Amino acid sequence: MHAGDDSAALDRIRTVLDQGLPRQAHALAAAVLADARSDGDLLMQARALHLLGRAEHLDANLNAALSLARQAAHLFHVLDKPQEESMALSHAAHLATLLGRPEEAIESATLAVQLADTLPPGLHTVDAYNYLGVAATWIDADHADRILLKTIELAQRLLPPHAAARPMVNRLVNELYRLELCLQRGQAPVLRSAMWAQLEDFRQLARPPTGTGAPPPDDLCGPVMQSMLGIVSAGFQAHSGQCLKALDTALGIDTRPLPRWLHAFVHWIVARCQLAAEQWTAALTTTQRTLDIARPQGQLHFELMSRCQRMEAFRALGDADGLHAEFHAFRTCQLRQQTEVITNREQMAALHLAWREQTRALEALHTSTRALEQLTLEDPLTGLANRRHLERRLDELLRPHPEHPVTPWCLVMIDIDGFKQINDQYTHVLGDDVLRQMAHLLRGLTRPQDLAVRLAGDEFVLILHDTTEQTGVRLVDRLNGAIDLHPWSAIQPGLAVRASIGLAQAHPDDSSASLLRRSDLRMYADKTDKLARHLAQRSGAATPDR
């Protein structure tokens, strides 16, 4: 795929997910993933895995979704994509929370928050804090409330107004769970007054946008939350019958199905209200519905809470057998949760081992890629840069860079005089030695920021940074002197080597061709001048001053 095709394919998957079509999104994401693996495109693989995880999540395959979210997060980490890694970790935290694994969820969400805090703030920041707050709900409701309050503030400051709706809902849910825990501990459930203001803020967001007539996605949550908060504010006691009626009214305002987690949550609250009204049999029926919703999705928190409610109902009915059976089911659920934690940790260890091997393979691939690239930019005989390297450097230097000040630099063309005669007289093997020695001289005379190039045959090029033509002339003089004084006879007795050199300073309107042509012409002028001097000396004539 081309980059544009990749982007269009990912956008198509997101659109299908937004339309609530998980199977279609799964098929599209799987196809993109297969193509990315075939092409060796790791970034596209990571993005396809992330979307594939979202499709599995939407289709209620939470364990599969969690595994895919982890894989995506790891690849984003390997590829140094911290924003996308943070988003994948946030998704993993959400899934782990739904699966009743709060410790794992907090671990993933904490890392997501730490990554997000190193980046410019945005949606990834809000998501990371939101899912950290959701994970903390099941361990420390007070701490979760502080995190979710911060999330709401971030969403209101960074994102469009409706973006604060999700953390608002999660904060209200956290409050309901805190009150449930109060009841389980035998404490009076006292609703914090700030929750009413929070509910009103949420109700404002839940109103249809002016002129559209279309409600936002969470419009049902507002009345549902209002009724549920009404229930708990009455201590699940004084007006439980009225609250049940209010809740029925709230649920009846829209025929669309609730999100599955909210569906289970509503049944849990209804059961709590029925217990407060001493409707024991009705509470058993409602809690069974909660179990039917929660168990297929592996939502252990809802299952455990429903088991507690069922034990409360059986105890009130004096049904010892039912109480014993429910206690056994409760313990079985707890043990399953512990087993799943162990299994999950084993799977994580296996994944980390696989990722470690993958990282080693990637490092080896990068090393070989760098070595291969070095070979394509290096002359094998002399170890200097080659023509391809020179062309790349010239392109960089001659390209306008408005953000950087222009500094002078020069290009030097060098040609070994009479090199064909050296090859013919002393063999090509000795000629290669001459080229290597010339390369050694050039390295010794240039600075680390300069570039020495073997252009072709016996032609060499130097790029001298921060150098004007006046200062470059001094280097050319040193180079001529170094070539004259070099012990060439150590290669072959009687061997003498000379070179012609042309220097040109780069101009703002230069192209690679114009700069090379100018330095080449000056090199040939130097060659002609030296030849004229040599012929004059041989004829005994005085060499004219130049």
Side-chain angles (χ1 to χ4, degrees), residues 79-115:
L79 297 167
D80 193 25
K81 297 290 183 180
Q83 181 171 323
E84 291 178 280
E85 181 186 357
S86 176
M87 295 179 74
L89 285 167
S90 295
H91 188 208
H94 184 199
L95 292 162
T97 301
L98 292 174
L99 287 166
R101 303 172 191 170
E103 293 84 1
E104 179 186 339
I106 286 176
E107 182 181 324
S108 294
T110 300
L111 181 53
V113 164
Q114 290 173 349
L115 283 170

Coordinates of all heavy atoms in Angstrom, one line a residue, residues 79-115:
L79 N 8.6 1.5 18.1 CA 8.8 2.5 17.1 C 8.9 4.0 17.6 O 8.9 4.9 16.8 CB 7.5 2.4 16.1 CG 7.4 1.1 15.4 CD1 6.0 1.0 14.8 CD2 8.5 0.9 14.3
D80 N 8.9 4.1 18.9 CA 9.1 5.4 19.5 C 7.9 6.4 19.1 O 8.1 7.5 18.6 CB 10.4 6.1 19.2 CG 10.7 7.3 20.1 OD1 10.2 7.4 21.2 OD2 11.5 8.2 19.6
K81 N 6.7 5.9 19.3 CA 5.5 6.7 19.0 C 4.7 6.8 20.3 O 3.7 6.2 20.6 CB 4.6 6.0 18.0 CG 5.2 5.8 16.6 CD 5.4 7.1 15.9 CE 5.9 7.0 14.5 NZ 6.0 8.3 13.8
P82 N 5.2 7.8 21.2 CA 4.7 7.8 22.5 C 3.2 8.2 22.6 O 2.5 7.7 23.5 CB 5.5 8.9 23.2 CG 6.1 9.7 22.1 CD 6.3 8.7 21.0
Q83 N 2.7 9.0 21.7 CA 1.3 9.4 21.8 C 0.4 8.2 21.5 O -0.6 8.0 22.2 CB 1.0 10.6 20.8 CG -0.5 11.0 20.8 CD -0.7 12.3 20.0 OE1 0.1 13.2 20.0 NE2 -1.8 12.4 19.4
E84 N 0.7 7.5 20.4 CA -0.1 6.3 20.1 C 0.1 5.2 21.1 O -0.8 4.4 21.4 CB 0.3 5.9 18.6 CG -0.2 6.8 17.6 CD 0.2 6.4 16.2 OE1 1.4 6.7 15.8 OE2 -0.6 5.9 15.5
E85 N 1.3 5.1 21.7 CA 1.5 4.1 22.7 C 0.6 4.4 23.9 O 0.0 3.6 24.5 CB 3.0 4.1 23.2 CG 3.3 3.1 24.2 CD 4.7 3.1 24.8 OE1 5.5 4.0 24.3 OE2 5.0 2.4 25.7
S86 N 0.5 5.7 24.3 CA -0.3 6.1 25.4 C -1.8 5.8 25.1 O -2.5 5.3 26.0 CB -0.2 7.6 25.6 OG -1.0 8.1 26.6
M87 N -2.2 6.0 23.9 CA -3.6 5.7 23.6 C -3.9 4.2 23.6 O -5.0 3.8 24.1 CB -4.0 6.3 22.2 CG -3.9 7.8 22.2 SD -4.3 8.6 20.6 CE -6.0 8.3 20.5
A88 N -3.0 3.4 23.2 CA -3.1 1.9 23.2 C -3.1 1.5 24.7 O -3.9 0.6 25.0 CB -2.1 1.3 22.4
L89 N -2.3 2.0 25.5 CA -2.2 1.7 26.9 C -3.5 2.1 27.6 O -4.0 1.3 28.5 CB -1.0 2.3 27.6 CG 0.3 1.7 27.3 CD1 1.5 2.6 27.7 CD2 0.5 0.3 27.9
S90 N -4.1 3.2 27.3 CA -5.3 3.7 27.9 C -6.4 2.7 27.5 O -7.3 2.3 28.4 CB -5.7 5.0 27.3 OG -4.8 6.0 27.8
H91 N -6.5 2.2 26.3 CA -7.5 1.2 25.9 C -7.3 -0.1 26.6 O -8.2 -0.7 27.1 CB -7.4 0.9 24.3 CG -8.5 0.1 23.8 ND1 -8.3 -0.7 22.7 CD2 -9.7 -0.1 24.3 CE1 -9.5 -1.3 22.5 NE2 -10.3 -1.0 23.4
A92 N -6.0 -0.5 26.8 CA -5.7 -1.7 27.6 C -6.2 -1.6 29.0 O -6.7 -2.5 29.6 CB -4.2 -2.0 27.5
A93 N -6.0 -0.4 29.6 CA -6.4 -0.1 30.9 C -7.9 -0.2 31.1 O -8.5 -0.8 32.0 CB -5.9 1.2 31.4
H94 N -8.7 0.3 30.1 CA -10.1 0.2 30.1 C -10.6 -1.2 30.0 O -11.5 -1.6 30.8 CB -10.6 1.0 28.9 CG -12.1 1.1 28.8 ND1 -12.8 1.4 27.6 CD2 -13.1 0.9 29.7 CE1 -14.1 1.4 27.9 NE2 -14.3 1.1 29.1
L95 N -10.0 -2.0 29.1 CA -10.4 -3.4 29.0 C -10.1 -4.2 30.3 O -10.9 -5.0 30.7 CB -9.6 -4.0 27.8 CG -10.1 -3.4 26.4 CD1 -9.0 -3.7 25.4 CD2 -11.4 -4.0 26.0
A96 N -8.9 -4.0 30.8 CA -8.5 -4.7 32.1 C -9.5 -4.3 33.2 O -9.9 -5.2 34.0 CB -7.1 -4.3 32.5
T97 N -10.0 -3.1 33.3 CA -11.0 -2.7 34.3 C -12.3 -3.5 34.0 O -12.9 -4.0 35.0 CB -11.2 -1.2 34.2 OG1 -10.0 -0.5 34.4 CG2 -12.2 -0.8 35.2
L98 N -12.7 -3.5 32.8 CA -14.0 -4.2 32.5 C -13.9 -5.7 32.8 O -14.9 -6.3 33.2 CB -14.3 -4.1 31.0 CG -14.7 -2.7 30.6 CD1 -14.9 -2.6 29.1 CD2 -16.0 -2.2 31.3
L99 N -12.6 -6.3 32.7 CA -12.4 -7.7 33.0 C -12.2 -7.9 34.5 O -11.9 -9.1 34.9 CB -11.2 -8.2 32.2 CG -11.5 -8.4 30.7 CD1 -10.2 -8.5 29.9 CD2 -12.4 -9.6 30.5
G100 N -12.3 -6.9 35.3 CA -12.1 -7.1 36.8 C -10.7 -7.2 37.2 O -10.4 -8.0 38.1
R101 N -9.8 -6.6 36.5 CA -8.3 -6.7 36.8 C -7.8 -5.3 37.1 O -7.0 -4.7 36.3 CB -7.5 -7.3 35.6 CG -8.1 -8.7 35.2 CD -7.4 -9.1 34.0 NE -8.0 -10.3 33.4 CZ -7.7 -10.8 32.2 NH1 -6.9 -10.2 31.4 NH2 -8.3 -11.9 31.8
P102 N -8.2 -4.7 38.2 CA -7.9 -3.3 38.4 C -6.4 -3.0 38.6 O -5.9 -1.9 38.2 CB -8.7 -2.9 39.7 CG -8.9 -4.3 40.4 CD -9.1 -5.2 39.3
E103 N -5.7 -3.9 39.2 CA -4.2 -3.7 39.4 C -3.5 -3.6 38.0 O -2.7 -2.7 37.8 CB -3.6 -4.8 40.2 CG -4.0 -4.9 41.7 CD -5.4 -5.6 41.8 OE1 -5.9 -6.1 40.8 OE2 -5.8 -5.7 43.0
E104 N -3.9 -4.5 37.1 CA -3.3 -4.4 35.8 C -3.7 -3.2 35.1 O -3.0 -2.5 34.3 CB -3.7 -5.7 35.0 CG -3.2 -5.7 33.6 CD -3.8 -6.9 32.8 OE1 -4.2 -7.8 33.4 OE2 -3.7 -6.8 31.5
A105 N -5.0 -2.8 35.3 CA -5.5 -1.6 34.6 C -4.8 -0.4 35.1 O -4.4 0.5 34.3 CB -7.0 -1.5 34.9
I106 N -4.6 -0.3 36.4 CA -3.8 0.9 37.0 C -2.4 0.9 36.5 O -1.9 2.0 36.1 CB -3.9 0.8 38.5 CG1 -5.3 1.2 39.0 CG2 -2.8 1.8 39.1 CD1 -5.5 1.1 40.5
E107 N -1.8 -0.2 36.3 CA -0.4 -0.3 35.8 C -0.4 0.3 34.4 O 0.5 1.2 34.1 CB 0.1 -1.7 35.8 CG 1.5 -1.9 35.3 CD 1.9 -3.4 35.3 OE1 1.5 -4.1 36.3 OE2 2.6 -3.8 34.4
S108 N -1.3 -0.1 33.5 CA -1.3 0.3 32.1 C -1.7 1.8 32.1 O -1.1 2.6 31.3 CB -2.3 -0.5 31.3 OG -1.9 -1.8 31.2
A109 N -2.7 2.2 32.9 CA -3.2 3.6 32.8 C -2.1 4.6 33.4 O -1.9 5.7 32.9 CB -4.5 3.7 33.6
T110 N -1.4 4.1 34.4 CA -0.3 5.0 35.0 C 0.8 5.2 34.0 O 1.2 6.4 33.8 CB 0.3 4.3 36.2 OG1 -0.8 4.2 37.2 CG2 1.4 5.2 36.8
L111 N 1.2 4.2 33.2 CA 2.2 4.4 32.2 C 1.6 5.3 31.1 O 2.4 6.2 30.6 CB 2.6 3.0 31.6 CG 3.7 3.1 30.5 CD1 4.9 3.8 31.0 CD2 4.0 1.6 30.1
A112 N 0.3 5.1 30.7 CA -0.3 6.0 29.7 C -0.2 7.5 30.2 O 0.1 8.4 29.4 CB -1.7 5.6 29.5
V113 N -0.5 7.7 31.4 CA -0.5 9.1 32.0 C 0.9 9.6 31.9 O 1.1 10.8 31.5 CB -1.1 9.1 33.4 CG1 -0.7 10.4 34.1 CG2 -2.6 8.9 33.4
Q114 N 1.9 8.8 32.3 CA 3.3 9.3 32.3 C 3.7 9.7 30.9 O 4.5 10.7 30.7 CB 4.2 8.2 33.0 CG 4.0 8.1 34.5 CD 4.7 6.9 35.1 OE1 5.3 6.1 34.3 NE2 4.8 6.8 36.4
L115 N 3.4 8.9 30.0 CA 3.7 9.2 28.6 C 3.0 10.4 28.1 O 3.6 11.3 27.5 CB 3.3 8.0 27.7 CG 4.2 6.8 27.7 CD1 3.6 5.6 26.9 CD2 5.6 7.1 27.0

